[in-house]
Amino acid sequence: MNLAPATAFRKDINLRLKDFFLTMQEFFLFSLRAFLTIPKIKRYWRDFLDQATICGTDSIPIVLVSAISIGSLLAIEVGNLLEDFGAKTMLGRSTSISVIRELGPLLMGLMLSARFGARNGAELGAMQISEQIDALRAFGTDPVAKLVMPRLIAALVMFLPLTALSDYAGLHSAAYMAEHYHRLDPGMFWNAVYPRLAPKDFVVGFVKAPVFAIIITLVSSFNGFSARGGTAGVGRSTIKGIVVSSGLVLVANFYVSKIVLENM
Amino acid sequence: MIELRNVSLKYGDREILNNISLTIADNSIKAILGPSGVGKSTILKLMLGLIKPNSGQVIIDGTDITKLKETELYPIRRKMGMVFQGNALFDSMTIDQNLGFFLRENLNLSEKEIESRVTEQIQFAGLEGYEDKLPESLSGGMRKRVAIGRALIFRPHMILFDEPTAGLDPVSSKKILTLISTLKKSNNLGAVIVTHIIDDVFNVADHVAVLYQGKMIFDDVVSKLHESTHPFILSILSDKILEL
């Protein structure tokens, strides 16, 4: 019996596992370095401001578009469903919980994973390929402090107001659809929203912002720093950064909701 | 002085360097010659501590840098200036920002002193009038001169050149080689030049080390290269340019 294919398969699995754990170890050390360099923020405040503009101000349009479209759709679909049960007055309650707890922060996270994460991966990947990151190290500058830490702080600072904006736009578009599509009085909609929202609803939503900021920045930057193999390599590392950070945002969204709701 | 003692390096199963020993004295120009992909640039990265060997020592002015942490390496790296093969200039910065960047980052100098050093390098590289241009708007030779200026701005003891004339036209290549010779004569600087072009070695180097299949097959003054009987050296002396 020929055992060669089985042996080759086992060897391949071993190599992949070894590669995976080595990458995880490198990612952990990279993340640790990014956090340990936070005290240097004063030196890199201009880089922080640049990144805050890129991930904050410049991201407002995409966050608004996604929040308005999902808020409107949610109001239409949920309103249709509630109408069957004669409970259309609960539309404000159901849409506000969905938007504030889940959809507002999740959509913001996914949009920024695509926008901010892609930019990080491509920019840092191009710098890696053209030896600019090696040049920083060669002349005595810590590339993680210069390039990653300001991105991390900017995301931590800017993701919170973006989440608030996403919630606000989502809720108001839902209110607009409730009034103009379902012919629901705005007073009835907002009366079902405000008195019933509990602090834990806001905690669930807003705790996600810093979690997503850390995931998106570190995963995309790490993939940029790991880029190899010319322009194709930059493309690969950028895609990998977006796919992995989007997947982790979805997983983190579930676990943050579960942990906060079970403990509050 | 830079010294490599019995350095070996592997990437996965692939052996890049096998028991390499090399010494570069201050104020001398040493060329490292070899075919493409043989590990010449890797030697420069080892000298800067950008990568660590699997075994052996890399000694810079008496300190074995293979044992040092990244932060401990920064002051040692500043003793050497590095000119990367693709120049590695920051493409979003102007020429004077590129030149002054590392001074602002790493040295506690006044803005006046920084500007003075930047102007000095602009003049040395013959780039007056290009201070506010982005690197992409310069020719290959000009970009190389900016990269040399950036390496010189820390006033290092030694400059490391990775393929300084690769991709340049003959006139620009000659200008760069003249610049390297001038650095030794006027600034008393040592240099390590990694190249696969044998004419560069005869034009500027005092000593040459030849790297072939991961091993050092020759390490002596340039004039003795003709006395070697190694088939690879004989082939490069006859063909001049390494095509392997």
Side-chain angles (χ1 to χ4, degrees), chain A residues 76-126:
Chain A
I76 291 171
E77 296 292 348
V78 174
N80 287 337
L81 201 67
L82 290 174
E83 200 168 15
D84 294 342
F85 298 98
K88 217 159 68 171
T89 52
M90 293 302 290
L91 184 58
R93 166 79 177 142
S94 49
T95 49
S96 62
I97 285 181
S98 304
V99 167
I100 289 170
R101 278 189 191 172
E102 307 297 338
L103 292 173
L106 181 63
L107 277 173
M108 189 262 330
L110 290 174
M111 288 300 120
L112 289 179
S113 175
R115 192 186 179 281
F116 184 55
R119 186 184 168 118
N120 286 346
E123 195 172 316
L124 298 177

Side-chain angles (χ1 to χ4, degrees), chain A residues 13 70 76 78 93 103 108 157 189 206 237 251 254:
Chain A
I13 293 287
I70 206 72
I76 291 171
V78 174
R93 166 79 177 142
L103 292 173
M108 189 262 330
V157 171
F189 180 89
F206 283 93
S237 70
V251 173
F254 170 77

Side-chain angles (χ1 to χ4, degrees), chain B residues 32-65:
Chain B
I32 299 172
L33 182 71
S36 301
V38 78
K40 304 186 298 294
S41 304
T42 306
I43 291 180
L44 296 185
K45 290 186 178 179
L46 283 166
M47 288 173 179
L48 287 164
L50 295 176
I51 48 176
K52 292 195 189 284
N54 295 109
S55 62
Q57 293 175 304
V58 180
I59 298 163
I60 310 291
D61 292 339
T63 308
D64 180 7
I65 65 165

Side-chain angles (χ1 to χ4, degrees), chain A residues 19-261:
Chain A
D19 193 41
F20 173 76
F21 285 114
L22 277 174
T23 307
M24 286 297 103
Q25 184 190 17
E26 279 175 26
F27 178 68
F28 174 74
L29 294 174
F30 178 86
S31 305
L32 194 64
R33 270 174 67 201
F35 281 104
L36 290 176
T37 53
I38 286 176
K40 291 183 182 172
I41 186 65
K42 203 174 163 189
R43 182 197 278 195
Y44 296 113
W45 70 275
R46 277 182 186 278
D47 299 277
F48 159 72
L49 287 180
D50 287 345
Q51 293 304 323
T53 308
I54 291 164
C55 84
T57 322
D58 294 353
S59 300
I60 288 173
I62 189 73
V63 168
L64 281 179
V65 167
S66 58
I68 288 170
S69 62
I70 206 72
S72 308
L73 273 173
L74 195 67
I76 291 171
E77 296 292 348
V78 174
N80 287 337
L81 201 67
L82 290 174
E83 200 168 15
D84 294 342
F85 298 98
K88 217 159 68 171
T89 52
M90 293 302 290
L91 184 58
R93 166 79 177 142
S94 49
T95 49
S96 62
I97 285 181
S98 304
V99 167
I100 289 170
R101 278 189 191 172
E102 307 297 338
L103 292 173
L106 181 63
L107 277 173
M108 189 262 330
L110 290 174
M111 288 300 120
L112 289 179
S113 175
R115 192 186 179 281
F116 184 55
R119 186 184 168 118
N120 286 346
E123 195 172 316
L124 298 177
M127 288 185 79
Q128 175 67 36
I129 295 300
S130 61
E131 296 184 304
Q132 291 178 49
I133 291 177
D134 275 346
L136 283 170
R137 292 177 67 209
F139 290 103
T141 295
D142 181 355
V144 174
K146 165 79 180 156
L147 300 171
V148 182
M149 182 269 290
R151 284 171 162 81
L152 179 63
I153 303 290
L156 283 168
V157 171
M158 299 311 292
F159 277 27
L160 274 170
L162 285 173
T163 304
L165 184 71
S166 178
D167 291 350
Y168 179 88
L171 264 184
H172 278 79
S173 58
Y176 182 85
M177 282 298 160
E179 186 185 351
H180 293 93
Y181 185 85
H182 290 298
R183 304 289 167 205
L184 188 68
D185 182 68
M188 290 185 88
F189 180 89
W190 291 111
N191 270 335
V193 173
Y194 290 124
R196 290 166 189 264
L197 278 176
K200 71 174 179 185
D201 297 324
F202 290 98
V203 173
V204 171
F206 283 93
V207 161
K208 288 174 183 173
V211 174
F212 293 169
I214 292 168
I215 289 172
I216 292 167
T217 313
L218 293 180
V219 170
S220 59
S221 301
F222 178 74
N223 277 287
F225 269 57
S226 312
R228 300 282 182 278
T231 46
V234 176
R236 275 195 301 273
S237 70
T238 306
I239 290 169
K240 198 174 166 189
I242 297 170
V243 171
V244 174
S245 63
S246 301
L248 288 176
V249 160
L250 288 165
V251 173
N253 185 60
F254 170 77
Y255 279 104
V256 171
S257 293
K258 190 171 182 292
I259 291 166
V260 175
L261 292 174

Side-chain angles (χ1 to χ4, degrees), chain B residues 13-32:
Chain B
D13 293 335
R14 193 175 150 229
E15 189 173 64
I16 307 294
L17 301 173
N18 181 4
N19 207 27
I20 297 287
S21 293
L22 195 66
T23 304
I24 298 117
D26 291 338
N27 194 26
S28 78
I29 298 181
K30 184 153 202 159
I32 299 172

Side-chain angles (χ1 to χ4, degrees), chain B:
Chain B
M1 190 168 83
I2 302 174
E3 199 180 347
L4 269 67
R5 281 188 199 157
N6 308 110
V7 169
S8 295
L9 180 75
K10 276 184 177 182
Y11 287 146
D13 293 335
R14 193 175 150 229
E15 189 173 64
I16 307 294
L17 301 173
N18 181 4
N19 207 27
I20 297 287
S21 293
L22 195 66
T23 304
I24 298 117
D26 291 338
N27 194 26
S28 78
I29 298 181
K30 184 153 202 159
I32 299 172
L33 182 71
S36 301
V38 78
K40 304 186 298 294
S41 304
T42 306
I43 291 180
L44 296 185
K45 290 186 178 179
L46 283 166
M47 288 173 179
L48 287 164
L50 295 176
I51 48 176
K52 292 195 189 284
N54 295 109
S55 62
Q57 293 175 304
V58 180
I59 298 163
I60 310 291
D61 292 339
T63 308
D64 180 7
I65 65 165
T66 57
K67 304 280 188 293
L68 299 182
K69 291 180 197 161
E70 183 78 9
T71 46
E72 292 169 332
L73 283 167
Y74 293 150
I76 289 174
R77 285 174 184 160
R78 279 178 221 139
K79 293 179 180 181
M80 297 172 277
M82 172 80 181
V83 180
F84 288 86
Q85 185 174 355
N87 304 317
L89 297 174
F90 301 113
D91 38 25
S92 58
M93 294 184 194
T94 61
I95 300 309
D96 58 356
Q97 284 169 344
N98 260 290
L99 288 169
F101 175 75
F102 289 110
L103 291 180
R104 290 187 179 93
E105 275 285 306
N106 300 320
L107 298 186
N108 199 17
L109 297 176
S110 67
E111 197 54 34
K112 198 178 166 189
E113 170 70 8
I114 291 171
E115 280 171 18
S116 150
R117 286 208 199 181
V118 168
T119 308
E120 190 185 310
Q121 291 311 322
I122 291 270
Q123 284 168 353
F124 179 77
L127 289 165
E128 294 95 335
Y130 292 93
E131 294 89 339
D132 298 327
K133 303 276 186 208
L134 290 172
E136 65 178 12
S137 62
L138 303 186
S139 68
M142 285 169 153
R143 281 201 286 263
K144 187 65 76 185
R145 295 201 313 260
V146 177
I148 294 173
R150 186 176 69 176
L152 287 171
I153 211 152
F154 274 122
R155 296 180 177 156
H157 307 311
M158 184 79 75
I159 294 211
L160 315 181
F161 292 93
D162 190 359
E163 302 279 5
T165 59
L168 298 182
D169 60 85
V171 177
S172 299
S173 295
K174 200 177 172 190
K175 275 186 187 172
I176 296 298
L177 293 174
T178 310
L179 203 64
I180 295 170
S181 300
T182 312
L183 287 174
K184 189 193 166 191
K185 284 172 199 151
S186 60
N187 298 32
N188 219 17
L189 266 179
V192 183
I193 300 169
V194 152
T195 184
H196 68 284
I197 301 169
I198 199 159
D199 285 345
D200 291 359
V201 176
F202 287 116
N203 280 329
V204 291
D206 304 314
H207 297 82
V208 58
V210 183
L211 194 62
Y212 182 64
Q213 293 183 340
K215 291 179 182 167
M216 205 61 86
I217 57 168
F218 180 89
D219 185 7
D220 212 327
V221 290
V222 174
S223 55
K224 287 199 176 174
L225 200 58
H226 291 284
E227 294 170 20
S228 172
T229 53
H230 193 284
F232 175 71
I233 295 176
L234 291 176
S235 79
I236 58 173
L237 285 172
S238 56
D239 295 332
K240 294 279 186 170
I241 297 201
L242 312 182
E243 296 296 346
L244 294 173

